[in-house]
Amino acid sequence: MSGYQHIQVRSVSSALGAEVTGIDLSKEIRENALAELRRAFAEYGVLFFRDQDLTPEDHVRFARCWGEININRFFTPVAGYPMIAEVRKEPKQRTNIGGGWHTDHSYDEIPALGSLLYAREVPKRGGDTLFASMYEAFGALSAGMQKMLQGMKAVHSSRHVFGAGANRPADLAQRLGHNELATQDAVHPVVIAHPLSGRKALYVNPGFTVCFEGWTAEESQPLLDYLYRQAARPEFVYRFSWRPGSLAFWDNRATWHYAVNDYQGERRLLHRITVEGEAL
Ligand code: SIN
């Protein structure tokens, strides 16, 4: 049986994001439904699905509709499913994963297209995820700043986050590993023409961007800080509240995200699959 009943896509904020209803992701998705989802993904940057009852196999199958799965080399995987990264915070753990603005895998030479995060267990309240639009972030800059940034590249790295020298809290030790694999840096344009929409998006982020190419870190930081303040303006941000069975699918080239850590003493457990992208 097909998962396409009557898809409806409803924008949830002026900046980004849409809720999709009328689809059961545990079923095979027909091509006409996928075409509608592809269009919505390119337009809204992040799609939200509610009340989905997914096995890990369903999650993997839906992710594969979007491309090859990128096996995250740093996250602890779900037991028996190396392609699913576990985003877990236990009641005794103070630090969460993703608790700062970032976009996944910008440290890779070919950054991921997007990530599909599925909620299995969520706190009674809190534990929301914020999303920010990098189209809006770029569009709000002056013409002069836009022109300058379009001639620039930036260096992204995983070393300071996942590497051996990273200043990582001890309570994340069981959640992340393989710090010996955090070796490479990647250089990307500061402004990308988005591969799906063709729109210009700012492509630097506080999590992984270390400097502009050809600039020192010290020279880069003031301008990066200015761009980060612009990008995180409230009007460019949407806050998503999870329920068990919610799935968010975001575009890593057009958005940032931030996992809010305001639920100490409770468990939060989500499964994340990341899909391969293309060179920017
Ligand atoms: C992530 O950064 O991928 C995790 C986001 C979240 O847990 O809300």
Side-chain angles (χ1 to χ4, degrees):
M1 171 161 164
S2 157
Y4 180 51
Q5 292 119 34
H6 181 59
I7 289 190
Q8 287 181 314
V9 178
R10 182 183 63 87
S11 162
V12 292
S13 85
S14 60
L16 79 170
E19 182 167 309
V20 183
T21 52
I23 190 161
D24 178 351
L25 301 179
S26 72
K27 305 285 194 314
E28 194 187 325
I29 316 281
R30 274 205 224 131
E31 192 45 50
N32 55 350
L34 259 184
E36 179 63 16
L37 293 180
R38 283 198 195 99
R39 192 201 55 72
F41 184 68
E43 180 169 352
Y44 297 108
V46 49
L47 302 181
F48 304 108
F49 304 83
R50 293 286 191 189
D51 304 320
Q52 301 292 325
D53 187 8
L54 303 185
T55 63
E57 287 79 8
D58 297 332
H59 191 184
V60 168
R61 192 178 51 247
F62 182 53
R64 284 204 170 120
C65 294
W66 301 87
E68 289 299 309
I69 292 176
N70 174 304
I71 299 187
N72 187 288
R73 49 201 186 279
F74 306 121
F75 281 49
T76 301
V78 171
Y81 296 93
M83 69 293 281
I84 306 181
E86 193 174 68
V87 178
R88 176 190 287 272
K89 182 167 181 266
E90 286 294 335
K92 287 202 175 121
Q93 196 185 323
R94 300 289 302 172
T95 320
N96 69 340
I97 289 177
W101 283 117
H102 66 286
T103 190
D104 301 333
H105 290 235
S106 74
Y107 48 79
D108 284 337
E109 280 174 23
I110 302 196
L113 172 148
S115 303
L116 299 97
L117 188 65
Y118 177 61
R120 298 208 164 267
E121 201 173 330
V122 298
K124 283 192 294 297
R125 59 170 188 271
D128 296 349
T129 305
L130 311 179
F131 293 92
S133 166
M134 292 306 108
Y135 296 134
E136 298 292 335
F138 177 71
L141 298 169
S142 68
M145 177 66 90
Q146 288 183 344
K147 190 167 173 213
M148 181 182 80
L149 293 177
Q150 285 180 83
M152 293 168 63
K153 293 187 171 179
V155 182
H156 300 244
S157 183
S158 60
R159 295 168 202 258
H160 59 289
V161 181
F162 300 116
N167 186 16
R168 197 160 55 223
D171 62 356
L172 281 185
Q174 289 184 329
R175 311 274 167 257
L176 301 169
H178 294 295
N179 51 23
E180 74 284 0
L181 298 179
T183 49
Q184 94 294 359
D185 296 338
V187 176
H188 303 297
V190 171
V191 180
I192 58 165
H194 192 279
L196 296 177
S197 67
R199 293 174 64 193
K200 290 193 172 131
L202 187 67
Y203 195 73
V204 286
N205 70 89
F208 299 116
T209 307
V210 289
C211 62
F212 297 111
E213 188 184 47
W215 298 30
T216 65
E218 195 181 9
E219 288 165 342
S220 304
Q221 207 54 54
L223 178 53
L224 286 172
D225 285 342
Y226 173 78
L227 296 174
Y228 297 160
R229 277 198 306 280
Q230 290 300 311
R233 274 163 51 181
E235 61 269 38
F236 303 155
V237 171
Y238 177 70
R239 183 176 189 126
F240 181 66
S241 292
W242 296 90
R243 300 197 298 255
S246 303
L247 184 139
F249 175 31
W250 63 81
D251 186 324
N252 280 308
R253 295 83 51 97
T255 66
W256 287 353
H257 56 281
Y258 184 134
V260 180
N261 189 11
D262 59 351
Y263 55 98
Q264 298 302 346
E266 289 193 70
R267 175 178 294 122
R268 181 177 183 272
L269 174 62
L270 299 95
H271 286 182
R272 194 184 90 182
I273 301 183
T274 299
V275 176
E276 296 281 12
E278 53 206 274
L280 296 173

